[in-house]
Amino acid sequence: MYYSIFAIFALIACTAAVTNPSQATLDENDNKVLRFALTLENLDSTFYTYFQSVFNRTSFIEAGYAGSVWDNLEVLAAQERAHVQILQDTLLARTGTTLPACEYNFSTVQSVSNYVGGGRLFENVGTAAYDGSIGSIYNKSLQQSAATIATVEARHAAFLNQLPGTIALPSPFPSATSPFPNVTDNAYTPMTVADYILPFIVSCPYNITAIAFPNVYVVVPVAAANTSVPANPTDQQVGANDLNALNYALSLELLEATYYNTFLPTYSVADFNAINLTADDYSYFQMILAHENAHVTALTNIITARRGTPAPNCTYNFPGVTDIYSFIETARTLEATGVSAYDGSVNTINDVLLRQAAATIATVEARHSTYLNQVTNTSLYPNATDTPLTPEQVITAVTTNYISSCNGYVITPPQIVTIYPYSNDTVSTTGSTTGTVSTTAAVTGVSTTRASTTVGVTTASTTSRVTTTSTGASVGVAATVVFGVLALYL
């Protein structure tokens, strides 16, 4: 089962009174997210490191690829190893232990084309895995860290999607070779991710489902019985801050949408051909325009549905755009800013479904950014993690450089609002997890056939009772059957 951003809230139903999970439960769930991510990154790292040594630049040229493809995969392999190190270090700091790599079987990869196709599969699934996990993370710093890795995974996917590979992307991935085939990326549950990766795993020295399958929890701002601890914000404060985050995103999407709607119609396929770009490139720009328009529509409608007032379209100024070259270069700057803006604000969103929705937009922005890096001959994915910018930094940049006036409207930067998991009779403010995680249990039920790759996990074991923070009402959501966020608003 996968989360698609196109249908959230369809399965939400009201339930009884709220009981928050304990801090220890939330900390351990965050550790499960880290182990889940590390399991994926160990697979990726091993895959690329091995096949970069099996094949070389000459192998790629002989297989009909440009030599630069191997070069870019060399950078990609190093970034996957960096992701492994980041996650190992984080787990060690939090739990005192980490996870070793599993034993893998890549026998289906017999050629350069197989290798490219396998990489394309892993990067798209990896993007969907991070997007699907962002709502499970309680710790604000970890939310942001996960987002900055997710957008790099999406950059990798955007590059590989454009290359022919003989291991095809399975459903629901589009068969087209577009770097950014959807308005928003998919968000996968751990069970669905396992369906794709377990055929490549022979054995693991730990039970993946037992220690690396996170649940989805939402902490509601109930009052603490102990008045000596920090007070929680109110439901209204949390909801208002989430609206600020939505309007902040909408302001940026309006800027991008206006930019493409203003300038792209002034250029033709012939203009793109004149600078050695193709009709496909022109169609990709049209897709970017359509994506930004869709993001505006969805954000506007969801803000309205939450009884907020959507940010207005401002009067914009793009003095540096004088020809097609400067048009493309400014587009590259805007998309890079968008990635940093989403990565820098994802941890200001407390509603888990909205946070997941933001992540699925952020990774599409990253795909746009990588494509624009490609056509401007700059580094496709410059760093192992993307650089987050605070809302204040982004607002200053866009208002200084691109916004002439906004009829008195001021973009309000969302803040990081922490909700402590107090309950009527329990107060916990610790942020650490005690004890260590066992990594000695064997994986059971692993099979190379997709039908048996759930490793004995039932739907019930990945279902959590969660609650909304925008209204204070509790809701029940099956973690394996939440189908996204913005479809009802498009």
Side-chain angles (χ1 to χ4, degrees):
M1 184 65 66
Y2 65 97
Y3 306 130
S4 163
I5 200 168
F6 293 107
I8 207 168
F9 304 137
L11 300 175
I12 291 180
C14 291
T15 61
V18 172
T19 300
N20 278 329
S22 68
Q23 183 73 54
T25 297
L26 294 170
D27 286 341
E28 176 54 19
N29 199 61
D30 284 355
N31 294 337
K32 286 184 176 181
V33 175
L34 291 169
R35 297 184 200 110
F36 176 58
L38 182 54
T39 298
L40 302 180
E41 297 291 359
N42 273 329
L43 170 65
D44 288 353
S45 175
T46 303
F47 177 78
Y48 291 111
T49 298
Y50 175 71
F51 284 107
Q52 282 299 105
S53 66
V54 170
F55 303 115
N56 55 28
R57 231 173 171 270
T58 301
S59 306
F60 272 73
I61 293 170
E62 290 175 348
Y65 296 88
S68 59
V69 172
W70 185 90
D71 299 336
N72 286 320
L73 285 170
E74 189 77 354
V75 175
L76 190 158
Q79 292 183 349
E80 299 295 358
R81 290 191 292 270
H83 294 169
V84 168
Q85 191 64 55
I86 290 167
L87 292 164
Q88 286 179 335
D89 291 345
T90 304
L91 269 172
L92 282 170
R94 288 174 60 88
T95 70
T97 189
T98 185
L99 296 181
C102 301
E103 180 183 351
Y104 307 107
N105 179 5
F106 300 128
S107 60
T108 55
V109 179
Q110 299 291 326
S111 66
V112 170
S113 182
N114 293 160
Y115 172 36
V116 170
R120 188 173 60 190
L121 170 65
F122 290 151
E123 297 304 324
N124 281 281
V125 170
T127 301
Y130 274 100
D131 284 353
S133 298
I134 197 75
S136 298
I137 304 173
Y138 171 76
N139 183 281
K140 297 291 186 179
S141 295
L142 292 181
Q143 288 171 9
Q144 185 172 90
S145 296
T148 63
I149 296 177
T151 49
V152 171
E153 295 289 324
R155 291 180 182 278
H156 297 167
F159 165 63
L160 287 165
N161 275 10
Q162 299 173 76
L163 303 174
T166 51
I167 295 179
L169 288 175
S171 175
F173 294 108
S175 59
T177 56
S178 167
F180 28 78
N182 295 314
V183 172
T184 57
D185 275 321
N186 296 316
Y188 279 180
T189 64
M191 287 182 66
T192 297
V193 174
D195 197 40
Y196 292 116
I197 69 168
L198 286 179
F200 298 96
I201 297 178
V202 176
S203 65
C204 270
Y206 58 93
N207 189 310
I208 297 173
T209 60
I211 70 169
F213 268 30
N215 289 314
V216 179
Y217 297 109
V218 175
V219 182
V220 298
V222 297
N226 184 347
T227 58
S228 66
V229 298
N232 262 329
T234 65
D235 285 335
Q236 291 74 19
Q237 289 170 328
V238 173
N241 193 67
D242 280 356
L243 279 174
N244 287 341
L246 290 169
N247 264 321
Y248 168 63
L250 176 58
S251 295
L252 301 179
E253 297 289 354
L254 283 167
L255 169 64
E256 291 179 328
T258 300
Y259 180 75
Y260 291 110
N261 282 308
T262 300
F263 290 103
L264 185 57
T266 67
Y267 300 109
S268 65
V269 173
D271 294 319
F272 274 65
N273 293 159
I275 61 169
N276 296 319
L277 296 179
T278 67
D280 284 344
D281 291 308
Y282 185 74
S283 70
Y284 289 153
F285 272 82
Q286 290 179 313
M287 290 175 67
I288 294 174
L289 182 154
H291 289 176
E292 305 301 359
N293 285 339
H295 295 168
V296 166
T297 298
L299 289 166
T300 299
N301 290 342
I302 196 170
I303 290 167
T304 302
R306 289 184 166 231
R307 300 181 182 178
T309 302
N313 218 333
C314 301
T315 300
Y316 304 102
N317 181 33
F318 304 106
V321 180
T322 57
D323 55 23
I324 192 170
Y325 294 104
S326 54
F327 162 65
I328 293 173
E329 184 59 38
T330 300
R332 188 175 76 88
T333 300
L334 290 174
E335 296 294 337
T337 301
V339 174
S340 292
Y342 275 104
D343 282 354
S345 64
V346 69
N347 60 352
T348 69
I349 304 172
N350 276 293
D351 186 304
V352 296
L353 300 177
L354 292 181
R355 187 163 66 245
Q356 181 179 287
T360 63
I361 295 176
T363 50
V364 170
E365 297 288 326
R367 291 171 183 264
H368 295 170
S369 178
T370 290
Y371 167 72
L372 291 166
N373 286 348
Q374 181 177 331
V375 298
T376 55
N377 294 314
T378 52
S379 177
L380 300 182
Y381 19 84
N383 299 296
T385 58
D386 277 319
T387 302
L389 294 175
T390 66
E392 290 81 3
Q393 288 173 313
V394 174
I395 290 169
T396 297
V398 299
T399 54
T400 300
N401 295 314
Y402 303 115
I403 298 179
S404 300
S405 65
C406 211
N407 297 319
Y409 179 80
V410 177
I411 306 171
T412 301
Q415 304 300 310
I416 296 175
V417 176
T418 299
I419 304 175
Y420 299 99
Y422 306 146
S423 64
N424 291 334
D425 56 359
T426 303
V427 176
S428 174
T429 58
T430 61
S432 62
T433 300
T434 58
T436 59
V437 178
S438 171
T439 58
T440 58
V443 174
T444 58
V446 174
S447 170
T448 55
T449 60
R450 184 157 293 175
S452 59
T453 55
T454 56
V455 200
V457 176
T458 64
T459 301
S461 69
T462 59
T463 300
S464 302
R465 181 169 164 277
V466 302
T467 57
T468 60
T469 56
S470 58
T471 65
S474 65
V475 297
V477 178
T480 55
V481 289
V482 177
F483 290 103
V485 176
L486 300 180
L488 301 182
Y489 304 97
L490 285 167

